[in-house]
Amino acid sequence: MKRSEVDRNKISPMMAQYLEIKEKYEDTIVFFRLGDFYEMFFEDAITASRELELTLTGKNCGLEERVPMCGIPYHAYKNYLDKLIEKGYKVAICEQLTDPKETKGMVERDVIQVVTRGTILDDSLNSKDYNYIGNIYDFEYCYGVSLIDVSTGYSYAVVLDHQQELLLKEILSHNLKEVIVNDKIDRNIINLLRESYHVLVTIRDDIYEADDYQYLTEDVKDIRIKTTVAHLLSYLVETKKGNLSHLQKVELIDHHKHLLFDIHTKKNLELVETLRNRDRTYSLLWLLDKTKTAMGGRLLKTNIENPLTDTHELNRRYGMIEKLLTEFILKEELREALDEVYDLERLSSRISYGNSNARDMLQLKNSLKALPNIKQILEELHYDKQIETLDDLVDLLEKAIHPDSPVSLHEGGLIKAGYHAELDELKEIRKNSKDFILKLENEEKERTGIKNLKVGFNKVFGYYIEVSKGNIKEIKEEYGWVRKQTLANAERYITPLLKEKEDIILGAEEKIIHLEYQLFMGIREIAKSYVGRIQAISKVIAEVDMLLSFALVSEENNYIRPILTDDHIIQIKEGRHPVVEKVNKKEYVANDIIMGKDTNILLITGPNMAGKSTYMRQLAITVIMAQIGCFVPCKSCTIPIFDQIFTRIGASDDLVSGESTFMVEMKEANTAIQNASENSLILFDELGRGTATYDGMSLAQAILEYIHDKIKSKTLFSTHYHELTSLANTLPHLKNVHVSAIEEEGKITFLHKIKNGAVDKSYGIHVASLAQLPKELIDRASEILNVYEHKNTKKQTFTQTTLFLDTEPETEAKDRIREKLESINPLETTPMEALNILYEFKNELQQSKTKS
Ligand code: ADP
């Protein structure tokens, strides 16, 4: 039965209430609280029962047919909720707002928050990753994009030109799982985000207008940014419903401040996950992450995804690493101190939002207690940023919060003795009465002579005296006991005195729970007023943690401080690929990468498996490490600051868009060619391989010439088109290098050593002969190679002259002439006719030349 088919006049009041609420949350699964369960109805029930493997039942609600229903116990809802969110659903949590015991008629219910992938604020999040929700506001001449991580409060925004490609690049680069868009946006973008990138997209036009979060954009003048942020806020306020005052002021994204690369490059270089398994292990992030705190881990990831271009800041970071490496003891102390620090950013967000419990407060206290020590170490290291220590707050938490607090806020046990006099008094009363009951047990044992008599408690009957069946006969009427419950082998009794004490205990208990809750709320409110300061401390801690991680990794792996230069030169001595050297069992062969002012392109030749692509990646990774402020894997390194990196490495077909390898290759090449500057780094691995030999080779050559003459960026270009190596004769800024292999005891061994010049041409045949193919066959191959080589030298000059000179009208003219020639029979043509034809041909050629 569907919701749309329901006769509203017949349904029960509860179902009417449900339908009214559900109407406001059409695209959301509603968890509807009924007593101890969250129930789902109609389509929601069908979806949830399928996704969560729950039994689908039905509920009578006044209609002939039962309404589909399924439910989950409220105390165990979290796992189910997480599963639905993970699968991309939104869930609205609808609670009972009045106590059923005290309410006449219908209990009031309403949604207290909507949980979505992009707005989670609990500990189910990956602690080492941010969780941004984004929005796109299409102004029709430009796009506004903003991002907010609700779990930490970080907020960013940018205005982009009205180009879909730019927009997608921005959205994808932040790994957004959820995006809000306004209605003007092109539906193709929405479809692409939903279907190809599994982003949860919500279309809505609302703009947040109240004053509460004006501060987020108070420093921004651009009205487009204000609108964009307000658009995202309207969604957040409506879904989260609680207090979001932990959100931090919006920072404008400035692309010039960062070394840019697109997601293909991020994937190709395996910066945060590996290509094959999409696993963090063996990525650059994995290698560099020795952070102790969640904040440090997240900052490191952000840096790897967004390296810097500010020489001053990078040198500052190198300086700090150097300092840490010389101050061995302080470094170790700092490491230990950071161990004590929990996720301050997310703790403070939860405190501010109002969903933190006493255990969060204990984590906060323990983290804050580490601050004085950290502060002192930072001072001794002459660190240029300060942290404050929040001693008052530590004091309060130390005095107030019970060290063994439970998760729940509704069962007491939150507040320490000595914090609040009235609470202590109530606890004393409770304790005395409990002691009295213990005493009573002993007294009754003596009075009755029943040794195994015991006093117990349950929620239904309260305190009782339990006597086993065999001893019942010992009970005398004069005791005044009243039988209350019969069990299989025992009877339970109550007495007036027991009930009197029970009233006192339960009364005190109730008051204690209530009072503790109130006191806790007060403490949380005080902690909330510190959130801004805690966020400031967190930022410094995150940076210190990241730099400490750099220092540790650099020390462990012998990395050195790079020198950043304004000259257009790369001088890396004995460079290594940091991940390959770590993971490979074989000894890593270090290689120089030298590109002086006059060398912009290294053309790398060599057989498969020689190490060409590793060499190229090595440079990119070294550049990225240098531009996040880390030391680099080599003996010495002088490099300029790069503005962008473009790569075409490996055979990563774009499975998502279903395009062919070659098309992807050409698109990536195009991105580089259109966007690279003199200060960019381009890595092209075997470009052109995806098409026929001459086709691919011509393209490769044309691209090389274009980069050489027009773009002038530092470029590594590997190829197996040996013919391309002769380009070094005509392109002065291109240099040949090669990786070769040697024969050792009849086996091919790759030395992985990069050398100047081009690789030996007959290398393939050499390998074939080592593989002991018949001698006759090898000789024939050498013969054929000779012929090709002879042809190719001609071909090359031909391509060089014709590829660029032959114009379209000319080609058409030639085609026409050829056609005509073929149709002529010389034996039937008179000399005069022949002369005319010759004249006509010449004319046509002449004309085509002037046309072009
Ligand atoms: P190519 O691109 O020339 O086909 P790769 O760069 O993929 O070759 O390298 C092939 C293999 O050689 C890889 O397994 C890699 O780990 C190893 N390798 C590459 N360069 C080195 C090096 N300098 N030292 C040690 N091993 C290397």
Side-chain angles (χ1 to χ4, degrees):
M1 166 176 236
K2 290 202 177 115
R3 223 162 8 111
S4 52
E5 298 160 4
V6 167
D7 181 349
R8 299 277 177 122
N9 297 319
K10 290 188 185 158
I11 52 170
S12 65
M14 191 280 298
M15 192 45 74
Q17 185 188 43
Y18 170 81
L19 289 177
E20 200 180 311
I21 291 171
K22 174 70 195 172
E23 265 166 20
K24 290 190 239 155
Y25 297 95
E26 281 297 341
D27 63 345
T28 306
I29 293 180
V30 175
F31 277 15
F32 192 73
R33 180 75 180 266
L34 278 184
D36 283 346
F37 281 81
Y38 285 118
E39 302 288 4
M40 286 149 273
F41 302 107
F42 298 101
E43 297 85 350
D44 283 359
I46 294 168
T47 311
S49 65
R50 184 185 65 233
E51 298 287 8
L52 301 173
E53 296 177 18
L54 298 170
T55 316
L56 189 64
T57 59
K59 186 166 182 71
N60 281 324
C61 54
L63 305 170
E64 275 160 33
E65 214 180 303
R66 282 169 18 128
V67 165
M69 173 176 95
C70 71
I72 48 178
Y74 92 96
H75 57 83
Y77 80 103
K78 190 67 179 50
N79 276 348
Y80 294 106
L81 175 68
D82 290 348
K83 251 190 217 167
L84 286 176
I85 302 302
E86 182 57 39
K87 285 172 188 266
Y89 293 98
K90 299 193 218 177
V91 176
I93 307 210
C94 177
E95 281 294 350
Q96 299 177 165
L97 302 180
T98 48
D99 188 341
K101 276 184 266 164
E102 290 164 15
T103 314
K104 283 202 193 107
M106 278 292 293
V107 174
E108 263 181 57
R109 292 187 177 85
D110 208 350
V111 170
I112 56 152
Q113 77 161 301
V114 181
V115 184
T116 73
R117 258 204 254 174
T119 59
I120 306 173
L121 223 175
D122 59 35
D123 46 16
S124 60
L125 288 171
N126 176 353
S127 65
K128 293 239 166 162
D129 212 346
Y130 288 102
N131 191 47
Y132 283 103
I133 179 169
N135 81 321
I136 305 171
Y137 199 91
D138 190 342
F139 291 96
E140 293 184 300
Y141 69 97
C142 69
Y143 295 113
V145 172
S146 64
L147 322 164
I148 293 183
D149 178 5
V150 185
S151 72
T152 58
Y154 284 109
S155 316
Y156 295 94
V158 65
V159 173
L160 303 169
D161 288 350
H162 205 259
Q163 290 172 29
Q164 290 196 7
E165 219 168 280
L166 279 182
L167 177 69
L168 280 174
K169 199 168 147 190
E170 189 70 45
I171 295 292
L172 296 177
S173 73
H174 301 288
N175 195 17
L176 301 179
K177 301 197 180 83
E178 184 172 6
V179 173
I180 314 304
V181 299
N182 67 339
D183 197 37
K184 296 227 168 76
I185 196 166
D186 188 336
R187 290 302 183 267
N188 285 334
I189 298 182
I190 298 180
N191 292 342
L192 192 72
L193 287 175
R194 279 188 179 148
E195 277 145 38
S196 301
Y197 297 99
H198 308 293
V199 177
L200 181 64
V201 182
T202 305
I203 308 168
R204 51 182 276 144
D205 281 345
D206 304 10
I207 299 283
Y208 184 74
E209 278 169 356
D211 290 337
D212 300 15
Y213 303 110
Q214 293 282 338
Y215 72 91
L216 280 177
T217 49
E218 69 186 1
D219 302 338
V220 182
K221 293 211 174 56
D222 193 331
I223 193 77
R224 297 169 301 179
I225 297 273
K226 285 183 191 283
T227 308
T228 305
V229 173
H231 177 232
L232 181 53
L233 270 173
S234 81
Y235 180 78
L236 288 181
V237 168
E238 202 172 295
T239 50
K240 296 309 289 178
K241 294 187 187 284
N243 182 310
L244 296 173
S245 60
H246 67 283
L247 296 186
Q248 306 186 35
K249 280 186 179 181
V250 166
E251 261 182 61
L252 299 185
I253 297 175
D254 181 354
H255 291 133
H256 297 297
K257 287 187 177 161
H258 296 285
L259 163 61
L260 304 177
F261 39 76
D262 63 7
I263 49 163
H264 300 296
T265 296
K266 186 166 118 186
K267 280 190 196 162
N268 282 337
L269 294 175
E270 308 194 305
L271 297 184
V272 296
E273 61 186 24
T274 55
L275 260 179
R276 205 173 304 155
N277 302 328
R278 305 201 60 191
D279 201 350
R280 192 175 185 275
T281 314
Y282 304 144
S283 67
L284 180 65
L285 176 61
W286 162 81
L287 178 80
L288 298 184
D289 191 0
K290 292 207 181 290
T291 55
K292 289 282 185 176
T293 67
M295 288 93 74
R298 290 193 292 265
L299 182 67
L300 171 62
K301 182 162 188 255
T302 310
N303 267 269
I304 292 180
E305 289 174 334
N306 305 280
L308 308 176
T309 51
D310 179 351
T311 314
H312 183 262
E313 171 61 15
L314 293 172
N315 276 316
R316 176 186 160 264
R317 293 185 181 185
Y318 304 151
M320 179 62 186
I321 297 174
E322 233 159 35
K323 186 89 188 153
L324 283 165
L325 290 176
T326 49
E327 298 284 357
F328 179 77
I329 295 172
L330 287 177
K331 185 184 76 194
E332 285 310 304
E333 279 175 12
L334 187 57
R335 212 166 125 76
E336 268 171 40
L338 287 176
D339 251 342
E340 306 296 319
V341 181
Y342 289 87
D343 195 341
L344 281 174
E345 280 175 349
R346 285 191 175 154
L347 276 175
S348 49
S349 300
R350 290 212 295 275
I351 289 166
S352 170
Y353 180 64
N355 68 342
S356 56
N357 59 19
R359 296 208 176 154
D360 291 328
M361 291 297 167
L362 291 171
Q363 292 194 349
L364 177 64
K365 180 190 77 179
N366 290 335
S367 309
L368 297 180
K369 272 168 85 175
L371 296 183
N373 191 15
I374 296 175
K375 182 181 166 71
Q376 197 192 334
I377 299 171
L378 293 184
E379 275 166 13
E380 283 180 47
L381 285 166
H382 302 294
Y383 195 59
D384 56 1
K385 291 182 185 168
Q386 305 281 325
I387 54 166
E388 58 171 336
T389 57
L390 304 179
D391 306 332
D392 300 351
L393 184 55
V394 176
D395 256 10
L396 170 71
L397 297 175
E398 189 77 83
K399 279 197 194 117
I401 307 291
H402 197 284
D404 301 317
S405 296
V407 175
S408 163
L409 297 178
H410 301 284
E411 53 191 59
L414 309 171
I415 306 292
K416 248 186 184 173
Y419 177 67
H420 194 263
E422 191 189 333
L423 180 67
D424 290 347
E425 232 169 80
L426 284 167
K427 285 187 176 170
E428 194 57 28
I429 293 170
R430 183 177 62 178
K431 181 169 178 297
N432 288 343
S433 304
K434 281 191 175 168
D435 289 349
F436 178 87
I437 284 174
L438 275 180
K439 211 167 85 205
L440 184 132
E441 188 179 79
N442 287 332
E443 283 170 6
E444 292 291 15
K445 271 185 193 165
E446 250 170 55
R447 178 155 79 124
T448 59
I450 304 171
K451 287 278 166 313
N452 62 357
L453 164 157
K454 60 179 181 216
V455 175
F457 177 84
N458 75 24
K459 275 196 176 154
V460 185
F461 299 112
Y463 285 95
Y464 54 79
I465 299 172
E466 188 177 299
V467 178
S468 63
K469 283 261 156 82
N471 289 323
I472 292 173
K473 53 186 181 310
E474 311 291 331
I475 299 167
K476 300 193 175 117
E477 205 164 311
E478 67 208 50
Y479 296 165
W481 292 9
V482 181
R483 201 170 68 204
K484 200 71 192 169
Q485 193 185 9
T486 305
L487 305 177
N489 47 15
E491 294 281 347
R492 287 175 175 175
Y493 302 85
I494 55 171
T495 76
L497 189 59
L498 206 51
K499 285 296 121 180
E500 195 185 306
K501 288 293 168 190
E502 178 187 304
D503 282 348
I504 297 173
I505 294 175
L506 293 186
E509 187 82 41
E510 200 174 307
K511 280 188 196 148
I512 287 169
I513 289 178
H514 183 71
L515 184 55
E516 288 210 22
Y517 182 79
Q518 295 302 330
L519 291 172
F520 180 80
M521 287 300 151
I523 295 162
R524 197 160 77 180
E525 209 49 38
I526 296 173
K528 193 167 139 186
S529 66
Y530 285 84
V531 163
R533 292 158 77 186
I534 299 175
Q535 285 172 337
I537 295 167
S538 306
K539 283 192 184 131
V540 179
I541 299 256
E543 188 188 80
V544 168
D545 192 15
M546 180 178 79
L547 294 179
L548 182 62
S549 181
F550 289 165
L552 292 167
V553 179
S554 300
E555 187 174 43
E556 184 182 309
N557 302 302
N558 286 320
Y559 300 162
I560 56 99
R561 178 179 177 150
I563 298 166
L564 302 174
T565 172
D566 291 335
D567 291 335
H568 203 47
I569 57 168
I570 297 176
Q571 225 164 19
I572 297 174
K573 289 275 183 194
E574 296 186 36
R576 286 120 49 204
H577 187 302
V579 180
V580 176
E581 88 165 333
K582 196 91 187 153
V583 175
N584 259 16
K585 289 186 187 73
K586 282 189 304 181
E587 178 102 355
Y588 192 87
V589 180
N591 275 307
D592 298 348
I593 305 182
I594 310 288
M595 297 174 88
K597 271 200 187 101
D598 295 333
T599 308
N600 287 337
I601 303 176
L602 287 188
L603 187 66
I604 313 165
T605 39
N608 278 343
M609 291 301 285
K612 299 185 294 299
S613 96
T614 309
Y615 183 69
M616 298 178 29
R617 288 163 198 272
Q618 176 179 316
L619 175 59
I621 298 280
T622 304
V623 165
I624 288 170
M625 285 170 75
Q627 290 192 227
I628 59 175
C630 183
F631 281 11
V632 290
C634 54
K635 274 268 159 14
S636 70
C637 168
T638 304
I639 45 171
I641 293 273
F642 287 94
D643 63 354
Q644 303 172 82
I645 298 182
F646 299 93
T647 57
R648 171 60 215 174
I649 303 182
S652 67
D653 275 21
D654 191 345
L655 296 175
V656 171
S657 64
E659 282 174 341
S660 73
T661 313
F662 186 60
M663 190 60 186
V664 176
E665 225 180 309
M666 286 302 112
K667 280 194 167 170
E668 288 186 15
N670 186 43
T671 311
I673 285 163
Q674 300 287 347
N675 298 297
S677 79
E678 212 173 320
N679 299 319
S680 307
L681 176 65
I682 300 180
L683 306 180
F684 281 160
D685 192 8
E686 304 263 4
L687 197 81
R689 172 181 49 181
T691 183
T693 308
Y694 284 123
D695 198 20
M697 197 169 79
S698 318
L699 267 169
Q701 177 177 334
I703 288 172
L704 275 168
E705 286 173 356
Y706 194 91
I707 294 174
H708 182 272
D709 297 342
K710 302 226 158 96
I711 305 177
K712 304 187 171 72
S713 29
K714 294 286 181 206
T715 303
L716 300 191
F717 197 110
S718 78
T719 185
H720 64 262
Y721 297 129
H722 187 265
E723 295 83 346
L724 292 181
T725 55
S726 64
L727 280 175
N729 302 329
T730 48
L731 305 181
H733 305 301
L734 178 146
K735 222 175 88 179
N736 281 313
V737 294
H738 73 278
V739 218
S740 60
I742 53 155
E743 178 195 340
E744 254 178 2
E745 296 162 11
K747 271 199 287 185
I748 286 282
T749 307
F750 295 110
L751 295 179
H752 304 306
K753 196 75 195 165
I754 300 281
K755 295 184 181 148
N756 287 335
V759 76
D760 172 16
K761 286 174 228 169
S762 53
Y763 178 80
I765 297 176
H766 188 58
V767 176
S769 106
L770 281 174
Q772 295 184 342
L773 266 79
K775 183 165 182 318
E776 197 184 330
L777 188 153
I778 299 290
D779 290 345
R780 174 70 184 138
S782 302
E783 229 176 271
I784 299 172
L785 177 68
N786 257 335
V787 175
Y788 273 127
E789 262 174 35
H790 188 61
K791 266 198 196 162
N792 284 350
T793 27
K794 275 200 209 150
K795 179 92 189 171
Q796 184 131 29
T797 41
F798 171 75
T799 33
Q800 288 227 333
T801 47
T802 56
L803 193 66
F804 299 102
L805 295 182
D806 234 358
T807 58
E808 214 176 299
E810 237 181 319
T811 321
E812 281 170 13
K814 282 180 186 170
D815 286 347
R816 274 197 302 275
I817 293 169
R818 185 180 302 123
E819 238 172 70
K820 217 169 201 172
L821 264 175
E822 275 166 0
S823 67
I824 293 172
N825 182 351
L827 296 178
E828 289 170 15
T829 312
T830 64
M832 196 54 203
E833 278 173 339
L835 206 61
N836 274 340
I837 290 168
L838 196 61
Y839 182 75
E840 204 180 303
F841 283 179
K842 236 188 130 143
N843 231 0
E844 187 151 359
L845 259 183
Q846 202 66 43
Q847 273 173 9
S848 73
K849 274 208 172 116
T850 44
K851 255 191 230 163
S852 59

